[in-house]
Structures are given as C-alpha cells and as structure tokens.
Amino acid sequence: MFKNRTDAGEQLADRLQSEGVTADIVLGIPRGALPVARPVADALGVPLDIAVAKKMGAPNNPEYAIGAAAVDGSVWRNEEAIDRLGLDEEEVEIERDRAAETAREKAETYRTGSAPDLTGQTVVLVDDGVATGATVTACLRMLRDSGAARVVLAVPVGPPDTLDRLEREADEVIALQRPTNFRAVGQFYDEFGQVSDEEAIEYLHGEPPEQSG
C-alpha cells in the first residue's frame, strides 16, 4: 500500500534512481499524477511538465469510453467498444476532435508558457496508476510523435495485462506493483482523494500543498 500519491512518487523516484534511469524532463498526467510526478522530477533533477489526454465518450453516452485522445490528436481506440456500438469513422473522428480540444483547453489552464520541445529528449511519463491504460496510451503516442528519443513510463501500480500492452508503446515501463488481483488504482492507496486543479498546478510549479498522513 502507498500512504498517498506523494509517498508513491517518492518510492517511484527511488526505483528509477536504483535502476539508473535518467531523463531530460518528467511529465505528469493531470490531475492525479502531479503529486506523484513532483518527487520523481525533483529526485532526477529535471523540470516537470504535463502530458494531457482525455477519454473519448460514445455519442449520446459520454461516460462510455471508446478511446482517448491527446492534445495533438494522437489517439488510442477501443475497437471492441466501437464495433459493439456500431460507430462509423465519422462519429469516432468527431469524438476524437472533441476529446483533443478538451485536452488542449486543460493544458492551457495548467501552463504559463508554451509546451516544451521534446525533440531528442529522454522523457519519463508518470501517472498515479493505470487501469485500462487508455489515456496513458494516447499520451505515449503523442510523445513518440513529438520526436522524443526515449520514453519511459513510470507508475506505482497497474494490472499485468495493461502493463504488458503499454510495454509495446513505451521504450521501458517501470511499475512498483503488478498485482493480479487488481480492481482499481485506489485499492492500493491509503489516501486517494481527488486532486483539484489548484493543487495540481501547485505541484506542477514546485509548491506542493500540505498533505495529511
């Protein structure tokens, strides 16, 4: 169990350092990943920024995910869900554009300047855990398209099947726990409350708010 996201980040930072992982930049996926990513960036001595993707909802049922899209339109599609709903390509593209625009708006609320140039960079992408891996996959594809030289995914916990699939998307995947009894990310945290936009922005800019526990 992790006490909270900061504890998970500190443990993740220790693992990365013990395995000799270096980076030019660490990216966290808002909002929940930023308390995890801050200790990682600090330990590696590199800047912290964000990678943003949003789930694509089904037409007329936005809670039913048919994929995820990143700010640049990089996409992961849930083909099984798309086939089950009988969606055509135009419908899927509309949802992709909508999700990408939402992701761009989110990124603009977090950043004070432009997105970093990742060309030729070694990037560590951090999340607070993965379940289906939808948004993480979209982010990894965005990073690959951005020209990053090497992309390492670092997470505290995720189910083995999802992590196996993500290993085909990243150059390396480091996960502290790969439980076969995985039900949800929050199952492995003592404290796993919502992270507000305000708190996440404070972590991004290096001023972590006080945490209990």
Side-chain angles (χ1 to χ4, degrees):
M1 293 289 293
F2 305 108
K3 288 189 295 186
N4 51 38
R5 289 180 174 89
T6 296
D7 175 49
E10 290 169 350
Q11 292 189 44
L12 199 55
D14 288 344
R15 172 68 69 83
L16 291 168
Q17 289 182 304
S18 70
E19 296 196 9
V21 174
T22 60
D24 297 301
I25 191 168
V26 170
L27 303 180
I29 302 176
R31 293 172 299 206
L34 286 165
V36 184
R38 169 48 64 190
V40 173
D42 289 348
L44 297 181
V46 298
L48 174 63
D49 204 89
I50 52 173
V52 188
K54 289 295 180 181
K55 289 181 180 176
M56 297 158 50
N60 304 317
N61 186 5
E63 295 304 312
Y64 187 83
I66 61 170
V71 293
D72 68 340
S74 297
V75 66
W76 173 78
R77 294 163 48 123
N78 184 339
E79 298 293 352
E80 182 179 338
I82 291 168
D83 291 343
R84 185 183 303 122
L85 294 172
L87 302 179
D88 61 33
E89 283 302 309
E90 183 178 1
E91 290 174 305
V92 174
E93 287 302 306
I94 289 171
E95 296 304 327
R96 181 176 83 159
D97 291 345
R98 180 179 291 131
E101 179 59 28
T102 301
R104 284 191 288 271
E105 291 171 358
K106 173 66 74 173
E108 289 172 3
T109 67
Y110 276 67
R111 284 199 185 100
T112 56
S114 58
D117 181 4
L118 302 177
T119 305
Q121 302 287 292
T122 297
V123 179
V124 173
L125 177 66
V126 174
D127 204 355
D128 56 8
V130 294
T132 65
T135 54
V136 169
T137 302
C139 287
L140 288 170
R141 293 179 180 180
M142 174 186 68
L143 297 179
R144 186 66 64 212
D145 291 343
S146 74
R150 178 173 171 79
V151 179
V152 178
L153 174 64
V155 295
V157 62
D161 56 343
T162 297
L163 293 169
D164 287 346
R165 178 167 55 79
L166 292 171
E167 285 174 347
R168 299 194 290 271
E169 303 283 346
D171 293 297
E172 183 177 2
V173 174
I174 293 177
L176 300 181
Q177 297 185 32
R178 298 173 178 244
T180 56
N181 65 334
F182 183 95
R183 297 189 304 276
V185 172
Q187 167 191 358
F188 299 92
Y189 285 82
D190 289 332
E191 297 176 13
F192 196 66
Q194 290 288 328
V195 177
S196 69
D197 281 331
E198 293 75 17
E199 288 174 320
I201 290 169
E202 288 180 1
Y203 281 108
L204 177 61
H205 296 296
E207 300 175 355
E210 291 294 325
Q211 280 201 2
S212 60

